[in-house]
Amino acid sequence: MVVRLCLSGPVEVVLRGRAMDAGPPQRRAVLAALAVDAGRPVPVEALIERVWGTDPPQGARRALYAHICRIRRLGEEQDTGGRGRLPVLRRPGGYQLDLDPDAVDLRRFHRLVALARVSGQPPDRQVALLRESLALWRGEPLAGLRGAWPARVREAWRRRRVDAAVRLADLEVHSGDPAAVAQQLRDLLDEHPTTESVAEALMHALYMAGDGAEALRCYAQLRHRLAEELGAEPGHGLRELHRRILLGRPPRGGPYMPSASVDPDTDARTGSVGQFLLAD
């Protein structure tokens, strides 16, 4: 692809492998608001709310038009043939970023994860899809952008990443090296120390690697963190796994699914993310 957009991490435009300056934070926010719905029209009111919130300033509409004009010109100096431009088309009541959704890293991430969830997908194919999806991840989504909409997007995609990583870890535990998977999950738990699905998957990997004692220590540590930070107890899935490890019984069945995994949204089959990202 000549043009790619990166939303995982700071918002960036990549032209022929070269990252370009996408402009000030507000312009990057406009670009992100279009990019999450690449290939589909977005109403002007939705764009304004994504960038300026529910109480936008009086000049928000004019500012939106100005940012879109500058976004259209990105890459013109480097590609006189026009293929490096970002085509933002005027549509009735809104605008459309006319790019293949796969040119946007988080849209591609979503499509690959959705494919991995398709019923009947062979485990090796699921592993390949999930590895490819997670390799797209560069950091905190929409890093540096402020506001309610970027915060919702950020949290939604964090959950998606965790869900994909836990699913991949389970597949690899059953087909590879549980000890290596456990180390990957330790790193993920360091990032999300109170996320029960990650702790549950780590306990499972440790037990499968023959380290039931470490799995029990993991449970104790998580239980302490939940009590200290949230005033909560571990959920049913964690408690049941803890009980089975204490009894020396293998975790039930397979493939293992974390009890706190994120449910797929209604658009998972098509890879559509716009309505999902707009949800409160």
Side-chain angles (χ1 to χ4, degrees):
M1 292 182 183
V2 174
V3 181
R4 291 187 296 108
L5 296 181
C6 298
L7 305 184
S8 176
V11 177
E12 287 184 348
V13 179
V14 179
L15 176 60
R16 290 200 174 95
R18 178 185 172 188
M20 301 175 57
D21 182 8
Q26 198 170 89
R27 189 169 305 142
R28 285 186 277 119
V30 173
L31 181 55
L34 289 163
V36 297
D37 278 305
R40 294 196 303 266
V42 185
V44 167
E45 292 75 15
L47 290 170
I48 289 173
E49 182 174 345
R50 292 177 185 187
V51 178
W52 286 277
T54 56
D55 187 22
Q58 188 172 1
R61 189 175 290 260
R62 290 194 303 274
L64 174 67
Y65 298 155
H67 286 307
I68 286 175
C69 288
R70 297 298 297 270
I71 287 169
R72 284 170 171 157
R73 294 201 295 268
L74 277 173
E76 284 183 349
E77 296 83 359
Q78 287 77 15
D79 193 317
T80 56
R83 290 182 299 158
R85 298 180 185 179
L86 284 173
V88 183
L89 307 180
R90 190 75 170 92
R91 293 292 186 238
Y95 291 91
Q96 175 179 323
L97 181 60
D98 194 29
L99 281 183
D100 182 343
D102 263 13
V104 182
D105 61 352
L106 289 186
R107 291 292 303 273
R108 181 170 177 80
F109 169 87
H110 184 278
R111 185 180 67 80
L112 293 169
V113 170
L115 280 176
R117 301 185 72 117
V118 172
S119 178
Q121 197 77 262
D124 58 343
R125 176 63 174 157
Q126 292 182 53
V127 167
L129 288 166
L130 291 170
R131 283 178 178 168
E132 185 180 351
S133 72
L134 291 166
L136 295 168
W137 205 266
R138 301 180 307 126
E140 181 178 72
L142 309 187
L145 300 188
R146 299 180 179 179
W149 181 77
R152 292 200 302 271
V153 172
R154 206 169 285 130
E155 182 57 29
W157 286 106
R158 282 176 185 154
R159 294 197 306 268
R160 294 263 169 172
R161 180 201 172 206
V162 166
D163 189 48
V166 167
R167 178 60 179 158
L168 176 60
D170 172 61
L171 289 164
E172 291 182 325
V173 159
H174 287 88
S175 63
D177 182 356
V181 174
Q183 184 54 56
Q184 297 168 19
L185 289 167
R186 282 191 181 96
D187 295 340
L188 189 61
L189 191 60
D190 286 342
E191 294 181 48
H192 305 275
T194 58
T195 301
E196 294 191 34
S197 62
V198 180
E200 195 171 342
L202 175 55
M203 289 171 62
H204 179 258
L206 288 167
Y207 186 87
M208 296 294 286
D211 198 349
E214 183 61 26
L216 294 174
R217 278 192 289 272
C218 175
Y219 178 85
Q221 291 167 358
L222 178 73
R223 185 178 183 186
H224 176 74
R225 282 195 297 268
L226 289 173
E228 287 288 312
E229 298 181 24
L230 305 176
E233 283 289 317
H236 172 75
L238 266 173
R239 295 197 309 271
E240 174 64 14
L241 180 57
H242 177 252
R243 184 185 71 83
R244 295 184 70 83
I245 291 173
L246 283 173
L247 295 173
R249 298 177 184 172
R252 296 189 183 198
Y256 167 74
M257 288 299 289
S259 61
S261 62
V262 180
D263 291 332
D265 61 274
T266 55
D267 292 337
R269 290 183 299 278
T270 63
S272 172
V273 296
Q275 290 183 347
F276 170 71
L277 293 176
L278 279 171
D280 290 326

